Amino acid sequence: MTNSTLPLPPRNAPTWSSRLTFILAATGSAVGLGNIWKFPYITGENGGGAFVLVYLLCILLAGIPVMIAEVLLGKQGRSSPVFAVQRLALEAGRSRHWRWLGALGVVAGVLILSYYSVIAGWALAYLPKMLAGDFVGIAGDGSSAIFKSHLARPAVLLGWHSLFMVMTMAVVIAGVTRGLGRAVEFLMPVLFVLLLILLGFAIAEGEFMQAVRYLFSFDNAAALTGKSVLIALGHAFFTLSIGMGAIMAYGSYMPPAAPVARTVWVVAVMDTCVALVAGLAIFPIVFASPDLDPASGPGLLFVSLPVAFGGMPAGVLFGTLFFALVSVAAWTSSISLIEPAVAWLVDSGRARRWQAGVILGVLCWAIGVGSVLSFNDWQDWHLLGGFNWFELSDFLTANLMLPLGGILMAIFVGHLYSTQAVRKALDIEGWLYRLWHFVLRWVSPVLVAVVLVYGLIGVFT
Ligand code: PFF
């Protein structure tokens, strides 16, 4: 079958205005709730230092190599993930069924956004709470009580979830390359500065050395199980926004001359730094408050940081600003989560961009209702593997679909796609190229497959 007989859209993806805009947009996608909300709480649940080490190894041995491969697929394919992969597969003389790799990403993106929006809604809800001074002078138990009463009201959670979905869809409908680039250019640096201020507070007022020890020593290594390793691996994919086509879609908007590997490196390093700084800002406060538990789960950020803001001068201002920025970080990520699905509907001629935005927005919103209820009415309704709806959405996507997508991308680029084309399209040469190619071919897929199988055995037995 030749290319011309296939129902493939033309290579007409729009382009970012510069390499910097791509870096910022990709960083906007990567840096989000994963770094500031999820990384600290899963680190707390899985024992600290040993988990952080495994996570960093996963970033290095699977995350970065696969991210380079994924951006490359987008840049070469120049259309929505489903069609980009199909086009490249056919060009390489492989089966068109590779498009199911793109389809897996479309489903994963919708599922992740459904609960991501609920958590982003918490951050939005904390804006008026902060501004009203609800947390001034508060201790850990008071902050926990406010958070618990917030979770107990499904109608309120639903309202904020709905608002966040509307915000996401508004940008998606307006188009990714317009507007988004300019917004992240300004907001990302502000977020970094604010995190550093929080870090300063944590050093001055919290149990900083205890937190450093917790994050970088193996004191609690016994808490690390097969399931923890799977969670660390899944999180490496989640935090870098890889394995589901989000970064592939962004890569397809990349200017042809932009260097892939160097750009990926910058984004991955920034993403990792934000997660570590978030951990170093949150844990000193947790350890300084006897009633806060590092293993308390998804509420960790929302309970511990208000205590810090409540105790610092101008805390009302900083606290409000902080939750505004967390909301923005979530916003720039949520847009990329839905981009593969939107681009697929548009590219396949099934819908216009605004129609795709509305249809998918409603779908994600509806699935997200299950996550809203997972924190109150459906809390104890356990589906598969003892997980409730929210936990299952998170587990299926981050710990199953993203790693699976990653393995398939590594196999495709490493073994099935033309080595010559890959070499030509990449900005690394010599030993560095050989190292990347070797790791992508042999280390990443094998590592991910082994962790996936062991992790799943650990979860379901
Ligand atoms: N990387 C985002 C975060 O850390 O919050 C979440 C995310 C965005 C995951 C886009 C996957 C994705 F495709």
Side-chain angles (χ1 to χ4, degrees):
M1 202 183 273
T2 62
N3 233 349
S4 56
T5 60
L6 289 162
L8 286 175
R11 294 184 181 217
N12 59 358
T15 313
W16 301 110
S17 48
S18 68
R19 173 184 173 225
L20 182 67
T21 322
F22 172 77
I23 293 190
L24 289 168
T27 310
S29 165
V31 174
L33 295 174
N35 308 63
I36 306 168
W37 161 73
K38 194 173 178 190
F39 172 72
Y41 98 72
I42 55 175
T43 300
E45 283 181 335
N46 292 282
F51 179 83
V52 174
L53 179 70
V54 173
Y55 159 75
L56 292 175
L57 284 174
C58 290
I59 292 271
L60 217 57
L61 295 176
I64 293 176
V66 170
M67 193 171 181
I68 293 176
E70 184 171 340
V71 174
L72 193 86
L73 284 173
K75 194 170 176 234
Q76 297 293 98
R78 288 205 81 72
S79 50
S80 66
V82 177
F83 290 113
V85 178
Q86 180 175 327
R87 182 197 312 277
L88 297 179
L90 290 167
E91 278 175 10
R94 309 288 171 186
S95 161
R96 66 198 304 242
H97 291 305
W98 275 97
R99 68 174 189 268
W100 289 104
L101 166 57
L104 178 74
V106 167
V107 176
V110 168
L111 257 182
I112 296 178
L113 183 56
S114 77
Y115 73 84
Y116 201 83
S117 164
V118 174
I119 311 295
W122 298 356
L124 286 177
Y126 264 54
L127 283 173
K129 285 192 206 299
M130 277 286 159
L131 201 59
D134 287 6
F135 296 98
V136 175
I138 208 159
D141 51 354
S143 182
S144 294
I146 293 180
F147 183 65
K148 277 199 189 116
S149 83
H150 177 63
L151 290 192
R153 289 180 301 168
V156 176
L157 298 190
L158 193 64
W160 290 107
H161 163 51
S162 311
L163 176 64
F164 187 80
M165 269 327 291
V166 170
M167 285 164 54
T168 301
M169 288 311 143
V171 178
V172 165
I173 290 169
V176 167
T177 48
R178 252 187 306 151
L180 174 65
R182 216 158 312 136
V184 286
E185 210 163 302
F186 168 69
L187 292 163
M188 283 292 135
V190 180
L191 179 70
F192 294 153
V193 170
L194 210 72
L195 268 179
L196 290 178
I197 293 178
L198 263 180
L199 181 66
F201 177 84
I203 294 173
E205 302 286 329
E207 293 294 333
F208 188 68
M209 285 324 291
Q210 205 180 328
V212 171
R213 219 189 131 98
Y214 184 73
L215 285 173
F216 300 109
S217 81
F218 298 135
D219 293 358
N220 291 328
L224 194 81
T225 58
K227 184 180 165 193
S228 311
V229 178
L230 176 60
I231 292 174
L233 175 82
H235 189 64
F237 281 82
F238 184 89
T239 193
L240 294 175
S241 303
I242 57 173
M244 54 147 279
I247 234 57
M248 196 192 301
Y250 276 19
S252 74
Y253 308 139
M254 211 172 178
V260 172
R262 260 179 298 157
T263 309
V264 163
W265 183 250
V266 172
V267 175
V269 167
M270 283 208 273
D271 184 78
T272 307
C273 287
V274 173
L276 292 177
V277 172
L280 286 173
I282 289 173
F283 284 111
I285 299 159
V286 173
F287 291 131
S289 323
D291 37 3
L292 294 184
D293 172 13
S296 61
L300 188 65
L301 169 82
F302 293 88
V303 173
S304 65
L305 285 192
V307 175
F309 291 120
M312 69 167 76
V316 168
L317 175 74
F318 283 132
T320 311
L321 197 57
F322 178 78
F323 281 102
L325 285 164
V326 171
S327 308
V328 171
W331 199 8
T332 53
S333 301
S334 65
I335 293 157
S336 70
L337 276 165
I338 202 65
E339 186 58 24
V342 172
W344 167 65
L345 280 182
V346 174
D347 270 2
S348 61
R350 286 184 169 82
R352 299 209 190 141
R353 198 166 172 95
W354 72 267
Q355 292 167 325
V358 172
I359 296 167
L360 291 165
V362 171
L363 183 66
C364 291
W365 178 87
I367 303 173
V369 174
S371 286
V372 164
L373 297 173
S374 300
F375 295 97
N376 36 69
D377 296 356
W378 288 3
Q379 196 158 16
D380 299 317
W381 184 41
H382 296 298
L383 304 150
L384 208 63
F387 295 120
N388 66 29
W389 187 291
F390 157 73
E391 291 161 343
L392 190 66
S393 310
D394 179 30
F395 183 81
L396 278 182
T397 50
N399 300 337
L400 209 72
M401 293 165 118
L402 301 191
L404 196 62
I407 295 182
L408 293 174
M409 286 176 198
I411 293 178
F412 184 78
V413 175
H415 294 273
L416 304 179
Y417 192 56
S418 141
T419 315
Q420 249 179 354
V422 170
R423 206 178 190 132
K424 227 174 98 193
L426 274 190
D427 52 313
I428 41 175
E429 300 169 336
W431 68 269
L432 202 55
Y433 171 81
R434 283 197 297 279
L435 179 67
W436 168 76
H437 204 227
F438 177 80
V439 173
L440 185 77
R441 280 165 71 90
W442 304 113
V443 181
S444 314
V446 173
L447 176 85
V448 178
V450 169
V451 173
L452 202 58
V453 171
Y454 273 95
L456 288 177
I457 293 174
V459 170
F460 292 105
T461 53

